[in-house]
Amino acid sequence: FQTDVLTELKKWKLSLIEHHKLQMKQEKDKHAAHVRQLSSEMENLKELLHTYEISIGRKDEVITNLSQALERQKERVELMRKFTLWRIQHVKAKQEAYANRIADRQFRTALMKKVWAAWRSLSEEKWKEKVAKACRLRAEDVCVQLTNDYEAKIAELTATLEQTKAEILRLQSEREQYEDTMKKAFMRGVCALNLEAMTMFQGK
């Protein structure tokens, strides 16, 4: 009876040991599966983080490129504005110099007329009327010619000034259109990047 009891106890002991080993193995398998699952999730999170970093880098690069393009365009418009102002000032300086020359010429003409009148008054009586008539006709011709030349030159300078003003208005309009286009392109780029990021979020 003792032998049977001991044998039965040994069997129970062996069965308990086997059962414990089986449970340990199951727990180890569960633990390994859980660790693998966590590792897989961590790898997925790492990939997602890498994707986010790439997306942010691209967005920063796009923003930098657009900022540089806007700066270049601003510099170009500023140079055009300065050049146009310089051209206007140059035309005004030419007009002023031309007006001064005209005034000097008129002054010299008037002075010559006075001198001629003084000389004519000292001439002989019979030549007085003849010379006066010839001088008057010559002076009138000169005045008419000068007037025509000056009016033509003034008209030419006025047309040049109007063309310059029209060019300034056109450049300002092009600048505004370009700025609107750059703003729209910038907003489209930002929206496209946001949609791409949202698509990746939804996919993950």
Side-chain angles (χ1 to χ4, degrees):
F1 179 74
Q2 244 179 355
T3 304
D4 292 337
V5 171
L6 290 173
T7 304
E8 190 65 27
L9 287 173
K10 287 181 181 180
K11 288 181 181 179
W12 286 357
K13 183 179 180 181
L14 291 174
S15 66
L16 285 174
I17 291 172
E18 290 295 329
H19 182 66
H20 180 67
K21 287 181 178 180
L22 181 62
Q23 286 183 348
M24 288 294 293
K25 184 178 180 182
Q26 289 177 355
E27 290 297 328
K28 286 181 179 179
D29 292 339
K30 288 181 180 179
H31 179 69
H34 185 63
V35 170
R36 285 194 298 271
Q37 184 180 1
L38 290 177
S39 298
S40 177
E41 290 179 359
M42 190 165 64
E43 290 297 328
N44 291 332
L45 290 175
K46 285 182 180 180
E47 291 179 359
L48 183 60
L49 179 62
H50 182 64
T51 303
Y52 289 162
E53 289 176 352
I54 293 174
S55 177
I56 291 171
R58 289 178 180 174
K59 188 180 292 184
D60 292 338
E61 184 178 355
V62 169
I63 292 172
T64 302
N65 292 334
L66 289 175
S67 299
Q68 291 176 355
L70 284 174
E71 289 297 328
R72 286 194 297 270
Q73 184 62 21
K74 286 180 181 179
E75 291 177 357
R76 181 182 177 188
V77 171
E78 185 65 21
L79 288 175
M80 288 182 179
R81 187 182 68 83
K82 289 181 180 179
F83 179 71
T84 305
L85 291 175
W86 176 82
R87 285 182 62 186
I88 292 173
Q89 292 177 356
H90 184 65
V91 170
K92 287 182 178 179
K94 286 177 67 176
Q95 288 179 344
E96 186 176 357
Y98 187 72
N100 291 331
R101 288 198 301 271
I102 292 174
D104 292 338
R105 191 177 298 174
Q106 290 287 354
F107 176 76
R108 287 196 300 270
T109 303
L111 186 61
M112 289 174 65
K113 286 182 180 179
K114 289 180 180 180
V115 173
W116 179 258
W119 177 81
R120 185 182 59 187
S121 64
L122 297 175
S123 300
E124 294 180 356
E125 187 64 27
K126 64 178 183 179
W127 290 98
K128 186 175 182 180
E129 294 180 358
K130 186 176 181 179
V131 172
K133 185 177 180 179
C135 289
R136 185 172 58 254
L137 291 176
R138 179 61 179 168
E140 288 177 357
D141 292 338
V142 171
C143 290
V144 170
Q145 184 65 33
L146 288 174
T147 303
N148 292 332
D149 293 340
Y150 298 154
E151 288 179 354
K153 191 66 177 179
I154 290 171
E156 181 182 356
L157 292 175
T158 304
T160 304
L161 182 61
E162 292 297 328
Q163 290 178 357
T164 306
K165 290 181 179 179
E167 183 68 17
I168 291 173
L169 293 176
R170 186 181 67 79
L171 290 175
Q172 290 178 350
S173 176
E174 289 181 357
R175 175 187 176 184
E176 293 176 357
Q177 291 178 359
Y178 185 78
E179 288 180 353
D180 292 337
T181 304
M182 290 300 296
K183 288 179 182 178
K184 291 179 181 179
F186 177 72
M187 294 302 296
R188 284 198 299 270
V190 172
C191 290
L193 289 174
N194 290 332
L195 288 175
E196 183 181 354
M198 187 181 295
T199 304
M200 289 190 290
F201 277 126
Q202 292 175 354
K204 293 300 181 181

